[in-house]
Amino acid sequence: MNDRLNPNSELEQSIVSVPDLAQVPEEFLNMAQQFQEAMMMYTCAIREVKTKIEVLNDELSVRNSRNPIEMIKSRVKKPRSIVEKLRRRGLEVSLESMIANLDDVAGIRIICSFLDDIYAVADMLVRQDDIRVIAVKDYIKNPKPNGYRSYHMIVEIPVFFSDRKKPMRVEVQIRTIAMDFWASLDHQLKYKKEMQNAAEISEELKQCADVIAQTDKRMLEIRQQIEAQGITVRRD
């Protein structure tokens, strides 16, 4: 398997953790233990989905002689971000409101090599009989106005605890390496609105997004041309 998916890697060790009491926002302090338990459940849901993705990647690596997935990133939304998002939407700040209204508390990002890998991985994931698809947004075929491209799914998966089975929702984003690099810059720009040339940079990013889309498409075509000659494209 690709070393980037090694469960002992720094990425895998550092992504998800249950907040301690010092990290629990004051809005949740009256139910701090319940909040910690909910975060633990979301962390477990991420593990369940990640395991499925890693199994698929291993299988495809053997069957197709190449890894379609470059990297898996994941995170549980920070407590303060949860509070801010609920307030931004005009929703009650409570544990019940978080569980009922926020589908992206647990998030997984899958970085793929080629465009067709995105749809292949998504299709194989949702065909598993214990996965329920809640929503799909294809920002690759229908990019956002700023140029953002990615394939988003909200899925629900059962997680087994000591005394119950709990359906948990996880947001899954699937994109190419170039899309992910672009999105990281766009994310930084969103928090730098005081920049005098923010509008110019935003427009330049939009142009880069269009170039990236064409490059991703062309790279897929080149790979397909190579494979048509009976040569397998793979990484050592």
Side-chain angles (χ1 to χ4, degrees):
M1 177 184 269
N2 190 328
D3 288 340
R4 299 181 190 179
L5 296 180
N6 187 328
N8 296 318
S9 70
E10 181 179 351
L11 172 67
E12 296 297 329
Q13 292 174 351
S14 64
I15 16 182
V16 285
S17 60
V18 178
D20 58 33
L21 288 176
Q23 295 175 299
V24 176
E26 60 181 290
E27 293 86 352
F28 291 109
L29 282 179
N30 63 332
M31 53 181 70
Q33 184 173 348
Q34 295 95 319
F35 181 80
Q36 283 186 304
E37 183 176 346
M39 294 298 100
M40 175 273 296
M41 290 180 174
Y42 282 115
T43 299
C44 292
I46 283 175
R47 289 199 189 104
E48 292 282 351
V49 177
K50 278 177 60 182
T51 297
K52 288 179 174 293
I53 296 165
E54 289 168 356
V55 168
L56 287 173
N57 194 59
D58 280 350
E59 178 193 353
L60 293 172
S61 177
V62 173
R63 187 199 303 168
N64 299 339
S65 298
R66 71 178 186 89
N67 299 73
I69 299 172
E70 288 280 350
M71 185 181 296
I72 300 173
K73 303 177 183 179
S74 59
R75 62 101 184 100
V76 173
K77 208 171 191 66
K78 293 181 180 179
R80 181 52 55 189
S81 296
I82 291 171
V83 172
E84 290 173 354
K85 189 162 189 176
L86 289 171
R87 285 178 173 162
R88 198 162 56 243
R89 292 186 174 183
L91 299 168
E92 177 187 4
V93 178
S94 69
L95 193 59
E96 293 78 10
S97 180
M98 175 191 77
I99 294 171
N101 297 297
L102 301 186
D103 291 332
D104 64 343
V105 176
I108 290 181
R109 185 174 301 145
I110 305 170
I111 314 302
C112 290
S113 307
F114 297 95
L115 283 171
D116 61 343
D117 292 329
I118 293 174
Y119 295 99
V121 170
D123 182 61
M124 285 183 286
L125 184 61
V126 302
R127 279 195 278 112
Q128 300 195 20
D129 58 14
D130 58 345
I131 290 273
R132 186 166 78 96
V133 180
I134 306 299
V136 172
K137 291 184 178 179
D138 189 342
Y139 294 116
I140 298 174
K141 294 180 179 176
N142 301 288
K144 290 186 177 182
N146 68 341
Y148 175 85
R149 287 169 170 83
S150 186
Y151 189 88
H152 290 201
M153 296 188 297
I154 303 297
V155 300
E156 190 173 79
I157 185 171
V159 182
F160 291 83
F161 299 100
S162 62
D163 58 348
R164 58 184 154 156
K165 178 177 73 172
K166 176 75 173 175
M168 301 294 299
R169 294 188 176 186
V170 178
E171 181 187 53
V172 180
Q173 300 178 358
I174 316 177
R175 58 180 66 154
T176 64
I177 301 169
M179 291 177 192
D180 190 56
F181 181 49
W182 184 94
S184 68
L185 285 177
D186 182 64
H187 183 74
Q188 292 180 43
L189 182 63
K190 287 179 180 177
Y191 292 92
K192 301 290 184 181
K193 292 300 183 183
E194 70 278 5
M195 292 175 55
Q196 294 182 352
N197 60 340
E200 295 176 12
I201 294 177
S202 181
E203 178 57 33
E204 190 170 352
L205 267 177
K206 171 64 171 63
Q207 295 174 15
C208 287
D210 296 336
V211 172
I212 285 171
Q214 290 300 315
T215 303
D216 273 335
K217 182 180 177 181
R218 185 61 185 139
M219 290 292 284
L220 173 58
E221 291 171 350
I222 292 172
R223 193 205 81 204
Q224 291 171 337
Q225 290 174 24
I226 294 172
E227 291 178 344
Q229 301 297 319
I231 302 172
T232 301
V233 178
R234 62 175 300 163
R235 301 182 308 277
D236 295 328

